[in-house]
Amino acid sequence: MMNIGELSALTHVSVRTLRHYDRIGLLRPSHITEAGYRQYDEAALERLHTILLFRELEFSLSDIRRIIDAPDFDPTDALDRQITLLTLRREHIDNLILMARGLKLTGVKHMDFSAFDTRKIDDYAAQAKAAWGKTEAWQEYEARSHSPEDNRQAGQQLMVLIGSFGTRRDIDPACEEAQQMVQQLRDFISAHFYTCTPPILRGLADMYDGGGDFTRNIDQAGGAGTAAFLAAAMRIYSQRAEK
């Protein structure tokens, strides 16, 4: 058993918060002494650990109490779900970091998202479907959920990554820096659209510098010559990956 002060020191949860949890029935003391002191056992500590995990996932206190007090509540299953949610949050943060790094390279004042608004993305999807709509990659893309908001956010983040190539288009597309940038782009496409294999990446390179809308909009995002530099770096990456 430990008292409320000891529990607070161990878990870094304030005494005031622990008392509030008691008042709303979220975390009751395991025992109250004759003098009125709250005491907590191992089971209470485990319950608090579960509460704190749900709080990190931004569940409301009322929802947490409803979940963990349900007759069919399974702590192991809840932990698995929490791991899944935390993993998704980490992926989201990683994508935000990529976007922020791209903004640092390209400069916020120079960003133009018009080329990748929802209408453009829909147009690109139609072009891609016409080019390789029967492939496994396209089937994977269509199997995923793509709301208009998902498309808008993914398009904006893709725009930032592509624009970052424009700031480095004077370097050798075969150098380590350029190839690392291609790796980031490939990872982003795999995470948001479809598994970007080396052959698919090479096919995208052909589309990017093929002289159509892709080329014009990529050059608009990163400056003249960006599409050619990006495509060259992607081809080199694909060739190396297939060896």
Side-chain angles (χ1 to χ4, degrees), residues 82-172:
Q82 289 165 338
I83 291 171
T84 299
L85 289 171
L86 288 168
T87 300
L88 291 172
R89 175 176 288 183
R90 183 183 64 188
E91 291 175 354
H92 175 66
I93 292 173
D94 286 343
N95 289 332
L96 291 177
I97 291 171
L98 283 175
M99 184 175 181
R101 285 175 176 168
L103 286 171
K104 183 178 179 181
L105 287 171
T106 59
V108 177
K109 294 181 180 179
H110 297 92
M111 295 310 298
D112 178 8
F113 295 117
S114 61
F116 280 80
D117 64 20
T118 302
R119 291 168 298 176
K120 278 292 183 183
I121 293 167
D122 292 341
D123 290 343
Y124 288 175
Q127 292 179 41
K129 185 174 183 179
W132 37 278
K134 295 182 180 180
T135 64
E136 292 182 2
W138 182 262
Q139 292 172 8
E140 180 184 352
Y141 172 78
E142 290 202 316
R144 296 188 184 185
S145 176
H146 299 278
S147 69
E149 179 61 18
D150 289 338
N151 282 340
R152 185 187 67 81
Q153 291 185 3
Q156 288 185 348
Q157 293 175 30
L158 182 61
M159 178 69 168
V160 171
L161 289 177
I162 287 176
S164 68
F165 281 86
T167 66
R168 307 298 294 148
R169 62 186 184 275
D170 57 336
I171 65 176
D172 183 354

Side-chain angles (χ1 to χ4, degrees), residues 53-73:
L53 272 174
F54 276 116
R55 287 297 288 157
E56 284 295 321
L57 294 169
E58 299 181 359
F59 281 76
S60 68
L61 294 180
S62 60
D63 283 343
I64 295 173
R65 187 176 65 178
R66 176 179 55 80
I67 292 169
I68 63 180
D69 285 343
D72 59 348
F73 176 71

Side-chain angles (χ1 to χ4, degrees), residues 74-86:
D74 181 348
T76 301
D77 179 66
L79 186 58
D80 288 338
R81 293 177 183 273
Q82 289 165 338
I83 291 171
T84 299
L85 289 171
L86 288 168

Side-chain angles (χ1 to χ4, degrees), residues 4-13 15 18:
I4 193 169
E6 293 169 335
L7 182 62
S8 175
L10 176 66
T11 62
H12 306 289
V13 178
V15 170
L18 292 171

